[in-house]
């Protein structure tokens, strides 16, 4: 993809602080980190998000995520780690090349987590399960 910033990183056209790569995935520091060591794991081929990315490539990405998570915990003394993937604009995706965030968390670092808005109303859980399972 010509205009994709992550493809440019893969091709070496723009710089990045790489932490790991293998045949199908690349991991590098996020330019605007939540905490020091915030890393992005991407496929070397251009896929827009989780819907497009083939299952085997998602698995390769998760293998790299696990490797990086252990290294971040040990190397940066992280108290915790968030693993997150934003898919589509409504979910906060800004760069449209599949990526998984691996974010080191430090106790009291001030970054919260999303909170549940409200409990389910009667029947909503059953409806949600039905709607999801129909599409599996
Ligand atoms: P998302 O909202 O999940 O699409 O996140 C995209 C992430 O890419 C953001 O956290 C950005 O800080 C990060 N980012 C954008 N451009 C670069 C770049 N050139 N090098 C490293 N990270 C980048
Ligand atoms: Zn790309």
């Amino acid at each position: 993809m010509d205009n994709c910033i992550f493809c440019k990183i893969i091709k070496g056209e723009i710089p990045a602080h790489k932490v790991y790569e293998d045949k199908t995935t690349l991991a590098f520091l996020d330019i605007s980190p939540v905490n020091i060591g915030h890393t992005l794991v991407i496929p070397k081929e251009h896929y827009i998000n989780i819907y497009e990315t083939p299952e085997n490539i998602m698995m390769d990405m998760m293998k790299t995520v696990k490797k990086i998570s252990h290294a971040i915990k040990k190397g940066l003394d992280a108290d915790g780690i968030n693993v997150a993937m934003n898919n589509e604009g409504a979910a906060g995706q800004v760069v449209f090349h599949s990526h998984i965030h691996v974010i080191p968390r430090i106790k009291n670092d001030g970054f919260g987590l999303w909170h549940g808005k409200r409990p389910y109303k009667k029947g909503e859980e059953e409806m949600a399960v039905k709607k999801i399972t129909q599409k599996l």
Side-chain angles (χ1 to χ4, degrees):
M1 285 290 286
D2 289 347
N3 260 333
C4 171
I5 198 144
F6 289 174
C7 281
K8 286 184 181 165
I9 287 175
I10 290 160
K11 285 189 257 169
E13 290 172 6
I14 61 167
H17 289 91
K18 294 182 187 177
V19 291
Y20 176 79
E21 73 179 304
D22 57 25
K23 211 167 142 230
T24 55
T25 70
L26 173 68
F28 56 96
L29 296 184
D30 193 298
I31 206 167
S32 180
V34 169
N35 279 319
I36 286 175
H38 178 169
T39 298
L40 300 175
V41 174
I42 68 172
K44 283 187 171 172
E45 294 217 328
H46 181 91
Y47 300 108
I48 293 173
N49 54 34
I50 195 166
Y51 304 114
E52 263 211 348
T53 311
E55 201 174 281
N56 64 311
I57 299 293
M58 287 299 304
M59 286 165 71
D60 289 351
M61 288 164 72
M62 282 313 292
K63 269 190 182 172
T64 300
V65 165
K66 182 159 168 64
K67 220 183 256 286
I68 299 297
S69 297
H70 286 283
I72 284 178
K73 181 171 173 55
K74 287 188 197 144
L76 295 175
D77 227 6
D79 298 316
I81 287 187
N82 288 126
V83 171
M85 183 176 192
N86 303 327
N87 297 284
E88 302 196 286
Q93 186 174 13
V94 172
V95 176
F96 292 90
H97 180 129
S98 258
H99 54 279
I100 299 176
H101 295 257
V102 185
I103 304 172
R105 296 298 301 269
I106 310 299
K107 266 182 206 140
N108 304 318
D109 61 15
F111 295 103
L113 197 56
W114 55 86
H115 296 288
K117 278 197 273 190
R118 61 167 178 83
Y120 279 105
K121 291 179 190 156
K122 196 169 174 356
E124 280 182 335
E125 287 149 300
E126 290 76 8
M127 191 205 298
V129 169
K130 193 173 160 205
K131 284 184 172 175
I132 296 165
T133 53
Q134 274 173 348
K135 300 295 179 190
L136 287 175

